[in-house]
Amino acid sequence: MATSNLPRLDARLGAAFAYVRAGHTAADIGCDHGKLSAALAGSGRCPLVLACDLRPDPLQKARLACAQYGDAVQFRLGSGLSVLQPGEADDIIIAGMGAETIIEILAAAPWVFDARYNLVLVPATKHSVLRRWLVQNGFALRDETLCEAAGRWYTVINARYTGEKREPTGLECLCGKIPGQPGDRAYFAQQNAKLKKYRLGLAPGAESDAVDALIQQMEERICP
Ligand SMILES: C[S@@+](CC[C@H](N)C(=O)[O-])C[C@H]1O[C@@H](n2cnc3c(N)ncnc32)[C@H](O)[C@@H]1O
């Protein structure tokens, strides 16, 4: 089913849409307004979209947004991936939640630690925390898209389980696959400002030295 009456997606959700594989069933976890679910179903990119949310009111908004797509969108009420059977969706989008919530959702569903699933993650906060957790837990950061939406910089992460667990460097956590993308300097400045802010709470010593070193590396990236 493909219609021309599709919702307008902001830059974040537009980038998330682009990472969803055509022809696959997608689950939009935390669908809220339902725009991404509607776009995926209405464009014909996904034959079936599972629009999921923790709360009834957002899910009701999604029902309205997707009403015209009939059986191409199903609705699930509940937390995270608990509303899905393993294998029901191949492409899983979790957008607009903080990194810790995204991590809780993934950690609570061991079946998603499998290369068949294409993960599209859009953390609202703490991008570095999510990158670190993914790499430590065997997910490869395949790609990222830097986006500006509502005056803030976001990263849209495309990840896939490989089973290779490792400890990422601090710089990798902070910058991910962003270096070289349009807007990267502004993103590094946003990350750098946060580091400097957090550093204020640290006692002098090893931790502080490590943060100093990271700030220096980031500044070298900004002004090479
Ligand atoms: C800020 S909205 C994001 C909407 C949309 N995904 C976006 O990025 O524009 C966050 C949504 O996630 C839902 N949510 C929060 N925690 C959740 C969880 N554990 N499982 C499913 N949905 C959750 C909230 O109810 C809310 O509708």
Side-chain angles (χ1 to χ4, degrees):
M1 183 188 303
T3 78
S4 55
N5 185 24
L6 296 176
R8 187 183 292 266
L9 301 179
D10 67 15
R12 292 171 316 120
L13 295 182
F17 179 101
Y19 283 130
V20 174
R21 297 170 297 179
H24 288 257
T25 296
D28 180 9
I29 306 296
C31 59
D32 193 12
H33 42 68
K35 288 182 186 172
L36 180 60
S37 295
L40 290 168
S43 63
R45 191 172 186 86
C46 295
L48 176 62
V49 178
L50 306 172
C52 312
D53 206 285
L54 180 63
R55 296 181 295 128
D57 289 353
L59 200 63
Q60 185 55 23
K61 280 192 269 175
R63 281 184 208 280
L64 293 173
C66 299
Q68 61 189 302
Y69 306 120
D71 292 343
V73 186
Q74 292 179 10
F75 303 90
R76 306 276 170 89
L77 178 65
S79 182
L81 300 172
S82 69
V83 297
L84 303 179
Q85 295 298 319
E88 250 192 314
D90 310 309
D91 286 44
I92 295 171
I93 308 115
I94 310 177
M97 295 177 214
E100 281 107 341
T101 305
I102 295 177
I103 290 169
E104 272 173 32
I105 288 173
L106 295 173
W111 54 265
V112 88
F113 290 58
D114 185 320
R116 71 170 282 182
Y117 299 108
N118 182 45
L119 301 184
V120 182
L121 308 172
V122 191
T125 56
K126 301 193 182 173
H127 310 173
S128 313
V129 171
L130 181 57
R131 290 190 188 102
R132 173 178 289 122
W133 185 88
L134 288 167
V135 173
Q136 285 177 332
N137 285 277
F139 291 89
L141 302 177
R142 289 163 58 90
D143 197 21
E144 289 187 51
T145 302
L146 181 61
C147 300
E148 195 178 13
R152 284 185 54 204
W153 291 97
Y154 291 89
T155 182
V156 179
I157 298 175
N158 183 212
R160 198 85 60 88
Y161 187 71
T162 62
E164 188 204 328
K165 299 177 185 178
R166 62 184 177 82
E167 194 57 44
T169 65
L171 198 61
E172 207 179 343
C173 296
L174 284 164
C175 302
K177 300 251 175 205
I178 299 303
Q181 298 191 25
D184 62 354
R185 285 169 180 241
Y187 181 73
F188 297 158
Q190 179 178 286
Q191 295 291 78
N192 191 330
K194 283 186 191 151
L195 257 187
K196 284 187 171 162
K197 191 175 80 180
Y198 296 144
R199 182 183 181 282
L200 296 178
L202 292 176
E207 275 181 308
S208 174
D209 292 347
V211 175
D212 279 342
L214 270 180
I215 290 172
Q216 192 184 336
Q217 287 172 42
M218 289 201 67
E219 285 175 347
E220 284 166 6
R221 290 245 172 181
I222 294 166
C223 308

